[in-house]
């Protein structure tokens, strides 16, 4: 199974999309995917779905969402939701979760930049993982606000690392338009102004 969070929440098995149900159920899978191979408490899931005023039946509803997700993922073999004391864990190869790949690629690109080595390939690969706005179809859920902010910061970091690699390779003309687009969306990002001056 591949789990995609950098856009609408989607899961696919052998290229075939898995039906994930409504927004709350997809949000549960997204929260488990963001913490792949780590336990997420039921209380955290409840808070992520309803904030500080959950309905009285919230615990039962979370159990129901997890049960339905288990059925949807049944037979895949590459991913399963296991019960942990007070919570749940999505067991999956982290490379099958786009957010986990994003985090790895941005780290690789950052390490390469610090070592003075070309890391633009990893940064560009990280940017290519985005299929739109992260968590696009569950953006209204309480947990999503902080995660979207974090993922957008990772996207911006990847873009800056890719631009740095292009500038180091002498591709100044090719990045001016990209920098301008990033500045239009992030006018307070001072590092982008410095890169634009260098490119020009």
């Amino acid at each position: 199974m591949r789990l995609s969070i950098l856009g609408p929440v989607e899961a696919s098995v052998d290229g075939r999309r898995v039906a994930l149900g409504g927004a709350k159920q997809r949000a549960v899978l997204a929260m488990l995917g963001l913490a792949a191979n780590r336990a997420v408490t039921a209380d955290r899931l409840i808070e992520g779905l309803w904030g500080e005023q959950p309905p009285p039946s919230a615990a039962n509803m979370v159990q129901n969402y997890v049960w339905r997700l288990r059925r949807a993922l049944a037979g895949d073999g590459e991913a399963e939701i296991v019960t942990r004391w007070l919570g749940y864990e999505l067991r999956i190869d982290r490379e099958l979760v786009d957010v986990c790949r994003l985090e790895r690629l941005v780290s690789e690109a950052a390490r390469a930049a610090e070592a003075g080595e070309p890391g633009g390939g990893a940064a560009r690969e990280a940017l290519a993982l985005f299929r739109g706005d992260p968590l696009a179809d569950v953006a209204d859920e309480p947990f999503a606000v902080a995660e979207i902010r974090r993922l957008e910061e990772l996207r911006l970091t990847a873009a800056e690392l890719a631009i740095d690699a292009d500038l180091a390779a002498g591709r100044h003309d090719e990045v001016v338009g990209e920098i301008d687009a990033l500045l239009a969306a992030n006018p307070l990002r001072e590092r982008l102004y410095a890169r634009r001056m260098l490119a020009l």
Side-chain angles (χ1 to χ4, degrees), residues 3-5 7-11 17-34 45 48-49 61-62 64-66 68-69 72 81 90 131 135-141 143-144:
L3 178 58
S4 302
I5 296 171
V9 178
E10 294 178 357
R17 192 174 295 179
V18 176
L20 296 178
K24 295 284 188 197
Q25 193 165 298
R26 292 195 309 278
V28 168
L29 183 59
M31 284 188 276
L32 294 175
L34 287 161
L45 292 173
L49 293 176
M61 293 170 78
V62 165
N64 191 35
Y65 295 145
V66 169
R68 290 181 183 178
L69 287 168
I81 299 172
L90 175 64
R131 299 170 294 110
L135 297 165
D137 56 339
V138 295
D140 293 334
E141 304 297 338
F143 85 95

Side-chain angles (χ1 to χ4, degrees), residues 95-123:
E95 285 297 300
L96 298 176
V97 182
D98 60 358
V99 169
C100 298
R101 288 201 312 280
L102 171 71
E103 292 166 343
R104 177 182 59 78
L105 290 165
V106 171
S107 293
E108 282 180 15
R111 281 195 304 274
E114 288 173 11
E117 301 169 357

